[in-house]
mmCIF file with all atom_site columns, all heavy atoms in Angstrom:
data_model
loop_
_atom_site.group_PDB
_atom_site.id
_atom_site.type_symbol
_atom_site.label_atom_id
_atom_site.label_alt_id
_atom_site.label_comp_id
_atom_site.label_asym_id
_atom_site.label_entity_id
_atom_site.label_seq_id
_atom_site.pdbx_PDB_ins_code
_atom_site.Cartn_x
_atom_site.Cartn_y
_atom_site.Cartn_z
_atom_site.occupancy
_atom_site.B_iso_or_equiv
_atom_site.pdbx_formal_charge
_atom_site.auth_seq_id
_atom_site.auth_comp_id
_atom_site.auth_asym_id
_atom_site.auth_atom_id
_atom_site.pdbx_PDB_model_num
ATOM 1  N N   . ALA A 1 309 ? 62.857 0.202  -24.422 1.00 0.00 ? 313 ALA A N   1
ATOM 2  C CA  . ALA A 1 309 ? 63.981 1.077  -23.988 1.00 0.00 ? 313 ALA A CA  1
ATOM 3  C C   . ALA A 1 309 ? 63.487 2.167  -23.108 1.00 0.00 ? 313 ALA A C   1
ATOM 4  O O   . ALA A 1 309 ? 64.136 2.531  -22.113 1.00 0.00 ? 313 ALA A O   1
ATOM 5  C CB  . ALA A 1 309 ? 64.726 1.617  -25.204 1.00 0.00 ? 313 ALA A CB  1
ATOM 6  N N   . LEU A 1 310 ? 62.310 2.735  -23.507 1.00 0.00 ? 314 LEU A N   1
ATOM 7  C CA  . LEU A 1 310 ? 61.745 3.784  -22.740 1.00 0.00 ? 314 LEU A CA  1
ATOM 8  C C   . LEU A 1 310 ? 61.321 3.268  -21.321 1.00 0.00 ? 314 LEU A C   1
ATOM 9  O O   . LEU A 1 310 ? 61.474 4.025  -20.337 1.00 0.00 ? 314 LEU A O   1
ATOM 10 C CB  . LEU A 1 310 ? 60.601 4.447  -23.475 1.00 0.00 ? 314 LEU A CB  1
ATOM 11 C CG  . LEU A 1 310 ? 59.812 5.550  -22.738 1.00 0.00 ? 314 LEU A CG  1
ATOM 12 C CD1 . LEU A 1 310 ? 60.659 6.733  -22.370 1.00 0.00 ? 314 LEU A CD1 1
ATOM 13 C CD2 . LEU A 1 310 ? 58.680 6.055  -23.587 1.00 0.00 ? 314 LEU A CD2 1
ATOM 14 N N   . ALA A 1 311 ? 60.741 2.089  -21.281 1.00 0.00 ? 315 ALA A N   1
ATOM 15 C CA  . ALA A 1 311 ? 60.354 1.519  -19.987 1.00 0.00 ? 315 ALA A CA  1
ATOM 16 C C   . ALA A 1 311 ? 61.567 1.377  -19.095 1.00 0.00 ? 315 ALA A C   1
ATOM 17 O O   . ALA A 1 311 ? 61.512 1.626  -17.865 1.00 0.00 ? 315 ALA A O   1
ATOM 18 C CB  . ALA A 1 311 ? 59.648 0.176  -20.231 1.00 0.00 ? 315 ALA A CB  1
ATOM 19 N N   . ASP A 1 312 ? 62.666 0.955  -19.668 1.00 0.00 ? 316 ASP A N   1
ATOM 20 C CA  . ASP A 1 312 ? 63.887 0.824  -18.858 1.00 0.00 ? 316 ASP A CA  1
ATOM 21 C C   . ASP A 1 312 ? 64.370 2.206  -18.300 1.00 0.00 ? 316 ASP A C   1
ATOM 22 O O   . ASP A 1 312 ? 64.864 2.253  -17.210 1.00 0.00 ? 316 ASP A O   1
ATOM 23 C CB  . ASP A 1 312 ? 65.015 0.185  -19.676 1.00 0.00 ? 316 ASP A CB  1
ATOM 24 C CG  . ASP A 1 312 ? 64.786 -1.279 -19.949 1.00 0.00 ? 316 ASP A CG  1
ATOM 25 O OD1 . ASP A 1 312 ? 63.968 -1.895 -19.154 1.00 0.00 ? 316 ASP A OD1 1
ATOM 26 O OD2 . ASP A 1 312 ? 65.323 -1.851 -20.855 1.00 0.00 ? 316 ASP A OD2 1
ATOM 27 N N   . LEU A 1 313 ? 64.262 3.192  -19.182 1.00 0.00 ? 317 LEU A N   1
ATOM 28 C CA  . LEU A 1 313 ? 64.672 4.557  -18.739 1.00 0.00 ? 317 LEU A CA  1
ATOM 29 C C   . LEU A 1 313 ? 63.743 5.031  -17.622 1.00 0.00 ? 317 LEU A C   1
ATOM 30 O O   . LEU A 1 313 ? 64.212 5.663  -16.677 1.00 0.00 ? 317 LEU A O   1
ATOM 31 C CB  . LEU A 1 313 ? 64.619 5.529  -19.858 1.00 0.00 ? 317 LEU A CB  1
ATOM 32 C CG  . LEU A 1 313 ? 65.774 5.445  -20.923 1.00 0.00 ? 317 LEU A CG  1
ATOM 33 C CD1 . LEU A 1 313 ? 65.501 6.356  -22.107 1.00 0.00 ? 317 LEU A CD1 1
ATOM 34 C CD2 . LEU A 1 313 ? 67.126 5.773  -20.267 1.00 0.00 ? 317 LEU A CD2 1
ATOM 35 N N   . LEU A 1 314 ? 62.439 4.711  -17.754 1.00 0.00 ? 318 LEU A N   1
ATOM 36 C CA  . LEU A 1 314 ? 61.497 5.143  -16.716 1.00 0.00 ? 318 LEU A CA  1
ATOM 37 C C   . LEU A 1 314 ? 61.784 4.465  -15.378 1.00 0.00 ? 318 LEU A C   1
ATOM 38 O O   . LEU A 1 314 ? 61.599 5.014  -14.319 1.00 0.00 ? 318 LEU A O   1
ATOM 39 C CB  . LEU A 1 314 ? 60.067 4.794  -17.153 1.00 0.00 ? 318 LEU A CB  1
ATOM 40 C CG  . LEU A 1 314 ? 59.508 5.745  -18.239 1.00 0.00 ? 318 LEU A CG  1
ATOM 41 C CD1 . LEU A 1 314 ? 58.217 5.067  -18.899 1.00 0.00 ? 318 LEU A CD1 1
ATOM 42 C CD2 . LEU A 1 314 ? 59.156 7.087  -17.718 1.00 0.00 ? 318 LEU A CD2 1
#
Side-chain angles (χ1 to χ4, degrees):
L314 179 56
D316 289 340
L317 285 174
L318 286 165

